[in-house]
Amino acid sequence: MFKNYRSVVALLLFFAGMLNYLDRAALSVMAPLVKKDLQIDDAQMGILFSCFFIGYCLFCFLGGWGADRFGPRRVFGWAAAVWSLFCGATALAGNFAHLLIVRVLFGIGEGPMGTTTNKSIANWFPRKEVGRAVGFTNAGQPLGAAVAAPVVGLVGLHFGWRISFVVIAVLGFIWLLFWLWLFRDKPEQHSRVTDAERQLIVTQRPASRAGKSPAASSISLWRYVFSLPVLGVASAFFCFNYIQYFFLSWLPSYLTDFQHLDIKSMSLIGILPWLGATVGFIGGGIISDAIYHRTGNFLLSRKLVIFCGLAIAAVCVMLTAWSSSVTVAVSLITLASIFAYMTPQACWSLLQDIVPSERIGTAGGFVHLLANLAGILSPGITGFLIQYGGGYASAFLLASLLALVGIALLGLFVRQQSVNALRALA
């Protein structure tokens, strides 16, 4: 994967994910300072975390549709510009209402990222490399969350929380310049791609063994997105996302409010779960491709990784609910992150094998929309549980239960027989 021009594409997508999650995690890292400055309580902070996903979910779907119609280069370019702009605009917020509006608009900009990344990978990587490509490019996301803790935390402590958002916005616009310079929608359109690499990619793209299928194009999109296999992938993705957004939104507050760490200590210790998540992303991709190489069964290789990842994560999250030691709690959360983050890359690559390439952007956008409804529910529910319910323990137990639900729904809906029937439509 790192010998040809597609490695440049992988690096661009890696850094896009890194910046995306650096932006997204910034508010949770700065939450103690923002709450104090703007006089916001835990329930209101939960609403702020959740409202980001109102615009985000809608544009997951619209971004995927746009990537199919206009190409990922144009869609990702506009998305990066919008999210960087409104990330910087967070520095201008003077009260809860202002911050609420900015977060919704910020979410609109970030919405297309996941599906556009998946569309880019489907265009640029052969089937045998899909797992590693998805794992590597998406590994930038938790790494961005890891970097957010020390970078945003220390900048906020020394220069104020508002300056940290301006710095991140500038980084986003710098990435945008490189994206427009180096990326094209397909290798066929790029002069720097060799004939050998172009031929390899074109003939071995996932879900497109014989190029674009007129039959698949004539079939209604909704036959794909409402099929059991696609809904099964979306269900597993939703349950993973509930855990992800619980950690992304509330982990810094958990470490400061429940484990009584100061912001400086939280900024350093808070790196560990996200480093673990990075290992999970990359490791999950390598493992799923290795299983596929040994068994020749693409579906099995992805399902095994999702089953094992969510099961081990569920146990670790459940045990955290009863942990009063910061060392034990952070160790369990880090271990949960390693295994939970094997799930999304397996979901993305599984979807590429189920849905034809000319439908992957829109179908992926629909899956991402359903999966990211967890972003609306998880932070808000957690905030109310902390303030009015059973505290952090009940929040950890609910996240653990949903991981087990994800396993059950994936096993029930994503079966070889139903996948074969869906492929037969094309």
Side-chain angles (χ1 to χ4, degrees), residues 199-216:
Q199 183 66 15
L200 171 68
I201 296 170
V202 170
T203 58
Q204 296 187 36
R205 282 191 179 118
S208 184
R209 260 70 78 184
K212 186 172 181 178
S213 167

Side-chain angles (χ1 to χ4, degrees), residues 54-73:
I54 296 173
Y56 184 87
C57 287
L58 176 61
F59 276 80
C60 284
F61 180 68
L62 292 179
W65 171 82
D68 277 342
R69 179 156 185 170
F70 304 110
R73 182 175 184 266

Side-chain angles (χ1 to χ4, degrees), residues 121-345:
I121 292 171
N123 285 354
W124 272 90
F125 290 87
R127 192 168 188 251
K128 64 181 180 180
E129 295 179 3
V130 163
R132 284 169 288 167
V134 175
F136 173 78
T137 56
N138 284 276
Q141 298 172 16
L143 192 59
V147 171
V151 171
V152 177
L154 297 177
V155 169
L157 281 176
H158 287 89
F159 302 103
W161 65 268
R162 298 178 189 275
I163 298 299
S164 61
F165 288 95
V166 175
V167 171
I168 299 170
V170 171
L171 293 175
F173 283 113
I174 292 173
W175 176 87
L176 176 58
L177 294 177
F178 280 95
W179 174 257
L180 296 175
W181 175 36
L182 297 172
F183 184 81
R184 299 294 181 271
D185 289 330
K186 293 183 178 181
E188 299 96 303
Q189 301 168 349
H190 210 303
S191 61
R192 298 186 186 182
V193 179
T194 65
D195 290 339
E197 182 180 14
R198 187 180 298 110
Q199 183 66 15
L200 171 68
I201 296 170
V202 170
T203 58
Q204 296 187 36
R205 282 191 179 118
S208 184
R209 260 70 78 184
K212 186 172 181 178
S213 167
S217 299
S218 67
I219 296 168
S220 169
L221 168 68
W222 307 110
R223 290 285 299 276
Y224 291 108
V225 299
F226 288 124
S227 65
L228 286 180
V230 171
L231 291 176
V233 173
S235 299
F237 212 149
F238 173 92
C239 295
F240 157 76
N241 270 350
Y242 191 95
I243 297 174
Q244 174 182 225
Y245 295 132
F246 170 39
F247 287 169
L248 195 64
S249 300
W250 286 101
L251 182 57
S253 295
Y254 167 75
L255 294 175
T256 54
D257 296 344
F258 187 82
Q259 296 293 353
H260 307 297
L261 297 178
D262 57 36
I263 292 180
K264 183 177 180 180
S265 299
M266 176 273 291
S267 297
L268 298 175
I269 292 176
I271 297 173
L272 296 177
W274 302 114
L275 292 179
T278 304
V279 172
F281 255 134
I282 298 174
I286 294 172
I287 291 170
S288 60
D289 276 355
I291 296 173
Y292 171 59
H293 179 73
R294 291 180 65 88
T295 64
N297 189 324
F298 195 91
L299 188 69
L300 175 66
S301 67
R302 271 56 188 173
K303 287 178 66 174
L304 276 177
V305 169
I306 296 171
F307 285 164
C308 294
L310 285 180
I312 296 174
V315 173
C316 293
V317 172
M318 184 180 296
L319 293 175
T320 307
W322 292 290
S323 175
S324 58
S325 164
V326 65
T327 302
V328 174
V330 172
S331 298
L332 286 169
I333 292 171
T334 301
L335 192 61
S337 297
I338 292 173
F339 286 95
Y341 274 80
M342 292 181 175
T343 300
Q345 59 79 20

Side-chain angles (χ1 to χ4, degrees), residues 376-394:
I376 297 175
L377 298 174
S378 179
I381 290 173
T382 301
F384 278 91
L385 285 175
I386 293 169
Q387 186 148 341
Y388 304 113
Y392 280 102
S394 60

